Amino acid sequence: MNKNYYAILMAGGVGSRFWPISTQEFPKQFHDMLGTGDTLIQKTFQRLSKLIPKENIFILTNERYNDLVFEQLPEVTKRQVVLEPAMRNTAPCILYAALKIQKENPDAVMIVAPSDHWIEDEQAFTDNVQQAFDYCSKNDALMTLGIKPTFPNTGYGYIEYNTTFETDIKQVKQFREKPDYQTAKKFLEQGNFLWNAGIFMWHVKHVVDAFKKNQEQLYKLFEKGIPVYNTEDEVHFINENYEKAENISVDYAIMEASKNVYVIPATFDWNDLGTWGSLYDKLEKDQNQNAIVNARTLLEDASGNMIRTQKNKVVVVDGLNNYIIVDKDEVLLIYPKAKEQDIKIVLNKVKNTFGNSLG
């Protein structure tokens, strides 16, 4: 394996739309959401390790999930776990990790990948990443993988690419915010729009240069720590300075501000597993289109439901269609699939009524 290949596995999110399974103390990336025997973070680590040496896969997460990371990925060392002492979106943590990697290996080419995505054809994913690494190792390029849209989704940001490039690698024209339905339909009709999957590749020098050029204040904050990165004094520096960083995404911070941005239309099936509905879409269904994880079920006049319980729990449902039914410890959620985006709002109501321990 190429010792210059590195990965930053992003594992700090909460995934509140997957409540009650995903909570602030135990978020979705640490759960076996698909009932496969592996948690999402374990699946992602295995996928990345097909191309990247295991010791070069860094886990970027919040301090509170440190123990969960070592529990689920016992092969990683303390050096590989990069802890955020405060929630500050993706730009600060990616710059921090990039500076650590650059100090260790100035020739590093790296991928930033979310820990909670579902990817079916893992060989196609590896091939796409290899293609991006080959390009980034020879060119000053910030690269992303875009997903070919299958319907006018209003829940994703879009990447518009330049149609004059006839190669697999396209120059990005602009990033577009999450559209309304009519705008999303126009994007699909145009044919040169991709879903933004939040997967990035670049040479470590070029991403650090992009921060230096476009985010001077943020860069200067983390630049001060270069002498202590990868030493015992790093923790003290980060604890003292990290919360001073601006809360900004890497898309806003450098991708939208840079000219040298390219995209590869992905050749694999992808789902960001952001909601119970997106999980439902990817699971096998019974003859009445019910998706079931862990439960033993007796269903009458029930169709289109997403049912998830603890292992082997018996669930009897009669006369319920297109609902999310999730049972976990002291919480039972029975909620219309059509309103799944409101689960975040429901979670806040539950916390206000019954206390934070339930979320």
Side-chain angles (χ1 to χ4, degrees):
M1 279 195 176
N2 192 324
K3 64 178 174 44
N4 293 333
Y5 288 177
Y6 282 74
I8 298 175
L9 200 165
M10 306 288 281
V14 177
S16 52
R17 286 191 181 89
F18 270 113
W19 183 80
I21 296 300
S22 181
T23 64
Q24 214 154 20
E25 292 307 311
F26 206 116
K28 67 172 177 174
Q29 59 269 27
F30 300 107
H31 287 277
D32 176 11
M33 298 301 297
L34 293 148
T36 62
D38 288 315
T39 65
L40 294 176
I41 193 172
Q42 288 169 335
K43 287 287 283 182
T44 307
F45 188 90
Q46 290 160 16
R47 187 186 310 126
L48 291 170
S49 67
K50 290 177 180 176
L51 180 65
I52 295 153
K54 284 186 177 180
E55 65 273 17
N56 288 356
I57 301 174
F58 285 72
I59 319 298
L60 219 158
T61 192
N62 193 273
E63 275 181 349
R64 68 170 70 180
Y65 307 136
N66 185 49
D67 292 347
L68 278 172
V69 169
F70 286 112
E71 212 174 277
Q72 297 202 1
L73 300 173
E75 61 264 69
V76 306
T77 62
K78 195 176 174 185
R79 161 187 156 273
Q80 291 168 257
V81 181
V82 182
L83 299 175
E84 305 168 86
M87 295 278 199
R88 284 294 180 274
N89 215 317
T90 53
C93 57
I94 287 172
L95 173 58
Y96 168 34
L99 287 169
K100 280 174 61 64
I101 290 168
Q102 185 179 43
K103 188 176 179 185
E104 179 176 296
N105 183 351
D107 298 320
V109 183
M110 55 197 267
I111 178 173
V112 175
S115 60
D116 53 3
H117 287 183
W118 177 93
I119 289 169
E120 189 165 314
D121 188 343
E122 297 200 339
Q123 187 54 53
F125 170 81
T126 302
D127 293 344
N128 282 164
V129 175
Q130 182 68 68
Q131 187 182 12
F133 275 8
D134 290 344
Y135 190 84
C136 291
S137 60
K138 299 185 186 104
N139 299 279
D140 182 357
L142 305 178
M143 186 78 75
T144 184
L145 294 181
I147 310 300
K148 294 169 189 170
T150 50
F151 66 99
N153 194 316
T154 58
Y156 299 144
Y158 284 70
I159 300 165
E160 181 182 0
Y161 62 83
N162 195 328
T163 53
T164 56
F165 276 55
E166 298 205 358
T167 60
D168 290 343
I169 295 171
K170 315 286 186 187
Q171 187 172 34
V172 171
K173 196 171 178 182
Q174 61 180 325
F175 288 83
R176 304 290 285 265
E177 295 296 316
K178 293 173 184 176
D180 59 32
Y181 184 72
Q182 290 305 322
T183 307
K185 274 176 75 175
K186 283 178 191 163
F187 287 173
L188 264 67
E189 285 162 14
Q190 240 175 278
N192 62 324
F193 282 82
L194 302 165
W195 289 334
N196 183 357
I199 302 169
F200 306 104
M201 290 81 44
W202 40 54
H203 191 288
V204 70
K205 178 190 185 309
H206 299 144
V207 70
V208 169
D209 285 348
F211 274 107
K212 201 184 296 188
K213 182 181 175 185
N214 298 299
Q215 295 293 326
E216 192 180 354
Q217 202 176 339
L218 192 65
Y219 177 76
K220 281 181 174 172
L221 176 67
F222 285 96
E223 181 191 31
K224 288 185 293 184
I226 290 173
V228 298
Y229 291 150
N230 307 334
T231 74
E232 286 181 5
D233 296 326
E234 178 183 328
V235 174
H236 176 71
F237 172 82
I238 287 298
N239 285 342
E240 206 169 83
N241 291 281
Y242 197 88
E243 63 182 9
K244 298 174 190 171
E246 185 184 352
N247 191 334
I248 185 171
S249 73
V250 74
D251 302 67
Y252 280 124
I254 61 167
M255 299 302 279
E256 294 182 17
S258 302
K259 301 290 183 201
N260 57 332
V261 182
Y262 299 86
V263 62
I264 295 174
T267 56
F268 52 84
D269 285 336
W270 168 92
N271 191 303
D272 77 335
L273 291 185
T275 64
W276 284 112
S278 63
L279 178 63
Y280 170 87
D281 290 342
K282 287 302 164 195
L283 291 168
E284 285 185 26
K285 320 287 191 297
D286 67 11
Q287 66 271 28
N288 294 310
Q289 295 303 298
N290 296 295
I292 299 154
V293 178
N294 295 337
R296 292 182 289 162
T297 56
L298 186 62
L299 307 176
E300 296 284 341
D301 186 23
S303 64
N305 297 302
M306 170 71 236
I307 302 170
R308 191 191 197 278
T309 67
Q310 290 165 356
K311 205 77 175 165
N312 291 326
K313 188 152 195 173
V314 173
V315 178
V316 181
V317 179
D318 192 337
L320 208 56
N321 302 295
N322 299 312
Y323 266 72
I324 298 161
I325 303 165
V326 182
D327 179 59
K328 186 199 172 217
D329 301 333
E330 67 269 48
V331 178
L332 171 63
L333 176 75
I334 303 170
Y335 205 73
K337 240 174 29 194
K339 292 174 67 179
E340 64 171 7
Q341 294 294 341
D342 294 342
I343 286 177
K344 274 177 114 169
I345 299 165
V346 171
L347 172 56
N348 286 331
K349 286 180 181 173
V350 167
K351 285 180 177 179
N352 291 336
T353 308
F354 303 109
N356 283 332
S357 63
L358 297 176

